[in-house]
């Protein structure tokens, strides 16, 4: 018997869907219990895998014909639940062996509903293209490896504490390659104000004005 595609989906509100390209009962991935899978998948195993994991993704195409003439089954599911970012586990299942020969853990995105079918994009859960990392860190110490081409030091020193003063030392002389922060900005945001409101006023004799002199009556 040919392998079948099994797709286990769980949306953010906890709703689960079980779809296949060959309708039948198979063990689901969430609990391992037998589950009926609707045969709504037209294509769902066109995955592209790369060595650096940068473009590991696949395309999912569902039929949008089952249901009544007013509301289609897949269209109704899209209307009632949020499928953007939903967990999607795709398996290539061999019924004769009762085992999955391939398994992809993905999430759904780029949904494109049409009149007779619905398309999804299935990127892998660990998608490096979704993360933005700084090329270096912000610190008061140099981050180059000492004596490396980026460091550029050709002095007689064998070690470096990575500070600006050490970089300026004649035994290193690589100040132009120092890539750390030169000035540390003092934290003055949370310093409490001085002599602004409150406090204990200077006592003055009763009946005197703010200047300490007795008021003049006319």
């Amino acid at each position: 018997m040919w392998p079948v595609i099994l797709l286990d989906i769980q949306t953010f509100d906890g709703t689960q869907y079980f779809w296949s390209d060959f309708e039948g009962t198979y063990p689901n991935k969430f609990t391992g219990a037998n589950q009926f899978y609707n045969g709504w998948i037209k294509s769902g195993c066109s995955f592209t895998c790369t060595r650096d994991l940068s473009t590991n993704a696949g395309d999912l195409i569902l039929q949008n014909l089952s249901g009544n003439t007013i509301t289609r089954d897949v269209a109704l599911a899209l209307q009632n639940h949020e499928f953007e970012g939903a967990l999607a586990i795709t398996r290539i299942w061999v019924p004769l062996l009762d085992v999955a020969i391939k398994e992809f853990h993905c999430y759904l995105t780029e949904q494109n509903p049409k009149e007779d079918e619905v398309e999804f994009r299935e990127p892998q859960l660990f998608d490096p293209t979704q993360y933005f990392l700084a090329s270096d860190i912000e610190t008061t110490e140099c981050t180059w490896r000492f004596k490396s081409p980026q460091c550029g030091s050709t002095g007689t020193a064998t070690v470096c504490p990575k500070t600006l003063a050490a970089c300026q030392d004649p035994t290193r002389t690589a100040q132009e390659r120092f890539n750390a922060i030169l000035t540390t900005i003092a934290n003055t945001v949370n310093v409490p104000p001085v002599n602004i409101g409150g406090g204990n006023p200077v006592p003055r004799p009763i009946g005197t004005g703010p200047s300490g002199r007795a008021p003049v009556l006319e």
Side-chain angles (χ1 to χ4, degrees), residues 144-148 151 153-162 166 169-173:
W144 297 132
R145 180 172 55 86
F146 184 53
K147 296 285 187 177
S148 67
C151 170
S153 176
T154 57
T156 59
T158 57
V159 295
C160 181
K162 305 300 183 70
D169 190 271
T171 61
R172 299 179 184 88
T173 61

Side-chain angles (χ1 to χ4, degrees), residues 1-167:
M1 187 175 182
W2 290 101
V4 298
I5 302 174
L6 301 182
L7 179 61
D8 301 59
I9 295 177
Q10 181 168 317
T11 60
F12 281 106
D13 60 1
T15 305
Q16 296 179 352
Y17 292 91
F18 303 93
W19 299 332
S20 174
D21 62 340
F22 189 83
E23 186 177 285
T25 300
Y26 310 96
N28 73 75
K29 185 62 180 179
F30 299 131
T31 63
N34 287 335
Q35 175 69 43
F36 179 77
Y37 284 72
N38 291 303
W40 293 354
I41 297 180
K42 298 179 62 176
S43 175
C45 195
S46 55
F47 282 88
T48 300
C49 298
T50 57
R51 181 175 299 179
D52 61 355
L53 307 179
S54 60
T55 57
N56 285 9
D59 296 311
L60 173 66
I61 302 178
L62 305 174
Q63 61 85 16
N64 193 27
L65 297 176
S66 62
N68 54 51
T69 56
I70 300 177
T71 306
R72 310 292 172 87
D73 290 333
V74 178
L76 182 62
L78 293 176
Q79 180 181 350
N80 294 335
H81 302 280
E82 179 58 65
F83 278 79
E84 181 68 26
L87 173 64
I89 303 177
T90 303
R91 291 175 292 167
I92 307 301
W93 186 263
V94 181
L96 185 62
L97 302 178
D98 201 25
V99 67
I101 58 176
K102 285 186 178 182
E103 185 171 315
F104 301 90
H105 290 237
C106 318
Y107 66 92
L108 299 180
T109 186
E110 300 179 19
Q111 47 191 317
N112 182 24
K114 300 179 181 178
E115 183 177 357
D116 57 350
E117 65 183 21
V118 178
E119 299 178 357
F120 286 94
R121 184 69 172 165
E122 294 181 290
Q124 63 176 357
L125 287 181
F126 178 69
D127 187 1
T129 60
Q130 301 299 319
Y131 299 93
F132 299 92
L133 301 179
S135 58
D136 207 340
I137 61 175
E138 296 183 1
T139 177
T140 57
E141 296 180 351
C142 180
T143 59
W144 297 132
R145 180 172 55 86
F146 184 53
K147 296 285 187 177
S148 67
Q150 295 87 351
C151 170
S153 176
T154 57
T156 59
T158 57
V159 295
C160 181
K162 305 300 183 70
T163 62
L164 178 60
C167 196

